[in-house]
Amino acid sequence: MSEFWQSIQDALRPGPPPADAVSAMLRRAAGEPELVRRRHGHLWFAAQLLTAQMRLIRVSVWLASAFVMAFGVLVLIPLRQGGLSESVLAMIAPFVAAAGIAGVCGPERDPGLELTAATATSPRTVLVARVALVFGYDLVLALGASLALVALGLDTSGLAALIGAWLGPMALLSSLCLLLAVAVGTTAAFTVGLALWLARLLVPSLALDTRWFVPVANAVKVLWATNFVSGVLAAALLAATVVVVGRAYRYPSAA
Amino acid sequence: MRGTDEVLLRRVARGEADALTALYRRHAEGLFGFLQRLAGDRMLAEEILQDTLLAVWRGAERFEGRAQVRTWLYGIARRQAHNRLRSVRPAETALDDVPDVAEPAAGPEELALVRLDRDQVLAAVARLGLRHREVVVLAFVAELSQAEIADVVGVPVGTVKSRLHHARAALVHALAELEGTQR
């Protein structure tokens, strides 16, 4: 190399590299889900995510669901009418779950959203964790209520029929409210959920024989039950939500 | 050296931070020098270095051993630098289109420039277009061979030779201009 190019090389010689670059990078990467998963495994990550989300969901959500469900069972005890159990649980369980999901998955009333938005965990993962927590909790409550009613001799149709009365409607109404909460907002989800719930309440008692009412009544009957149609519809709504949530929320991406 | 780098990288892929530290220490001077001279700013170079280390940490398991670890590292650093510099750096004074000159071997012009100060050299390098600056820096700062530069940049060796030739010519041209403005 000529003297000229040697002098160029000398002039370009850089300063010392930072000594703590790796530790600085690791500190920065500490919250990245992909790295946490790689280090501790998927189960550990899932447990951490669920625990974190559980802390972020307001206590009132858990308490309100438990209170309404317990109230439903307590109301049935003095009545001692076997046929009422299915109807009461079919009305209470779906609404409790749908209201809870609308309350924790919409952007307006969620104190944990700001924290969630500051993490690199994908919004879809966070949403699935939250839905799993709230729906799972309400599912356990409804199962507990069903078991209690059967154990107390307050249901004559059997446990399977009792669960069938609320499981399908609960999944369908919850997935619809979830989609609305994510796409439109908590208030809209709650309002639509309440309207559908009232429709379910009122339609069977209205003996209208008009051209438009009969198909509506039939549709309500089919959808507000545990069957293939309500199951597929609930799954489709859930899939739509997963698609929408990635666009509706803007989270910082991992580096 | 190559074998040891690969062993370290396999340990990095398993999540061993001390292996990444060891790998970084081996290549820190060249990598950081490359980034510092490419970015022209120490703070920015440190940020790109962190991006690079993060990409290595995340992508170590994808290293297939088809390239040397060293050129793989520089390839990642280059990509991270391009990502950052595209958004940060304004339009450069392009010297890529300077008239082609003969291979700048030691001549009167160069001998007159031998005593150029460091700031002038840095200013001249900063005026090079990114693709010419990167080959100059890889050759002079990271001290990679032309074949290694070809691996890093992802072009044939002939293209590296051509770019180096033009980059050197542009550098001499820039230095002469800078020298002229100071007189």
Side-chain angles (χ1 to χ4, degrees):
Chain A
M1 190 184 292
S2 71
E3 192 183 351
F4 169 72
W5 291 112
Q6 185 61 55
S7 67
I8 294 283
Q9 187 169 32
D10 292 342
L12 287 175
R13 215 166 286 286
D20 62 343
V22 172
S23 52
M25 180 278 293
L26 289 173
R27 277 197 302 276
R28 174 178 146 193
E32 292 211 9
E34 183 188 325
L35 301 171
V36 173
R37 267 196 290 267
R38 201 169 89 191
R39 187 137 313 168
H40 300 284
H42 290 267
L43 278 177
W44 187 91
F45 174 74
Q48 290 296 107
L49 179 64
L50 289 174
T51 308
Q53 290 302 316
M54 203 183 294
R55 289 198 197 105
L56 289 173
I57 294 171
R58 284 168 299 180
V59 179
S60 58
V61 172
W62 309 117
L63 289 179
S65 300
F67 177 78
V68 174
M69 203 68 80
F71 180 77
V73 174
L74 291 173
V75 163
L76 287 168
I77 291 175
L79 296 176
R80 294 218 160 260
Q81 288 185 30
L84 268 182
S85 298
E86 274 187 42
S87 304
V88 170
L89 272 193
M91 296 312 299
I92 290 177
F95 186 69
V96 164
I101 282 175
V104 300
C105 295
E108 299 106 315
R109 298 178 188 170
D110 185 359
L113 186 70
E114 197 178 348
L115 281 172
T116 307
T119 71
T121 306
S122 115
R124 291 188 174 101
T125 310
V126 171
L127 183 83
V128 168
R130 297 191 136 210
V131 170
L133 275 174
V134 176
F135 191 81
Y137 174 73
D138 289 326
L139 198 65
V140 168
L141 281 180
L143 279 172
S146 302
L147 283 169
L149 289 171
V150 171
L152 290 169
L154 297 173
D155 180 71
T156 51
S157 56
L159 185 62
L162 188 56
I163 291 173
W166 55 260
L167 185 59
M170 183 172 167
L172 184 57
L173 196 64
S174 297
S175 53
L176 178 66
C177 285
L178 174 64
L179 177 58
L180 288 169
V182 169
V184 187
T186 301
T187 308
F190 193 82
T191 307
V192 172
L194 186 63
L196 290 175
W197 183 76
L198 285 172
R200 166 64 183 91
L201 197 67
L202 295 175
V203 164
S205 59
L206 298 172
L208 299 175
D209 194 17
T210 59
R211 185 183 295 174
W212 63 269
F213 185 77
V214 173
V216 169
N218 286 337
V220 168
K221 193 177 172 185
V222 169
L223 293 175
W224 207 279
T226 303
N227 54 38
F228 181 73
V229 175
S230 64
V232 168
L233 201 54
L237 288 167
L238 194 60
T241 307
V242 171
V243 173
V244 166
V245 76
R247 299 173 184 175
Y249 291 76
R250 287 286 175 266
Y251 291 76
S253 61
Chain B
M1 177 76 169
R2 178 179 173 171
T4 315
D5 275 354
E6 288 184 348
V7 169
L8 284 173
L9 199 57
R10 274 200 292 276
R11 288 178 52 206
V12 173
R14 290 198 296 266
E16 294 182 34
D18 57 339
L20 182 63
T21 304
L23 190 65
Y24 170 66
R25 282 187 187 144
R26 281 169 174 272
H27 300 283
E29 203 167 317
L31 264 181
F32 186 66
F34 166 59
L35 293 174
Q36 196 178 349
R37 292 296 170 242
L38 198 61
D41 177 81
R42 186 177 171 93
M43 292 291 286
L44 183 56
E46 285 188 13
E47 285 177 20
I48 302 170
L49 179 66
Q50 273 205 18
D51 292 346
T52 303
L53 290 171
L54 183 59
V56 170
W57 183 237
R58 298 169 73 172
E61 60 199 344
R62 289 193 291 273
F63 177 74
E64 294 169 350
R66 284 186 293 196
Q68 291 178 49
V69 172
R70 183 159 103 122
T71 52
W72 185 74
L73 290 174
Y74 278 95
I76 291 175
R78 175 179 174 268
R79 270 198 302 280
Q80 300 300 328
H82 277 243
N83 288 344
R84 287 269 186 161
L85 296 177
R86 257 199 298 270
S87 58
V88 170
R89 188 167 286 274
E92 299 164 55
T93 307
L95 284 174
D96 298 0
D97 301 326
V98 293
D100 202 3
V101 296
E103 175 69 34
E109 182 185 36
E110 290 171 11
L111 291 175
L113 295 170
V114 163
R115 298 191 188 285
L116 278 173
D117 68 28
R118 190 167 167 272
D119 288 344
Q120 278 180 311
V121 174
L122 295 180
V125 169
R127 290 173 69 180
L128 294 176
L130 191 53
R131 67 189 178 139
H132 284 153
R133 191 164 66 246
E134 70 183 5
V135 291
V136 164
V137 174
L138 284 169
F140 286 96
V141 180
E143 298 186 59
L144 299 191
S145 68
Q146 291 185 348
E148 287 174 323
I149 295 172
D151 276 349
V152 171
V153 180
V155 296
V157 176
T159 308
V160 172
K161 284 181 182 170
S162 164
R163 281 190 194 173
L164 260 177
H165 171 80
H166 283 95
R168 286 177 174 207
L171 199 54
V172 169
H173 183 84
L175 284 168
E177 267 192 3
L178 287 167
E179 185 71 3
T181 55
Q182 288 198 348
R183 280 179 185 162

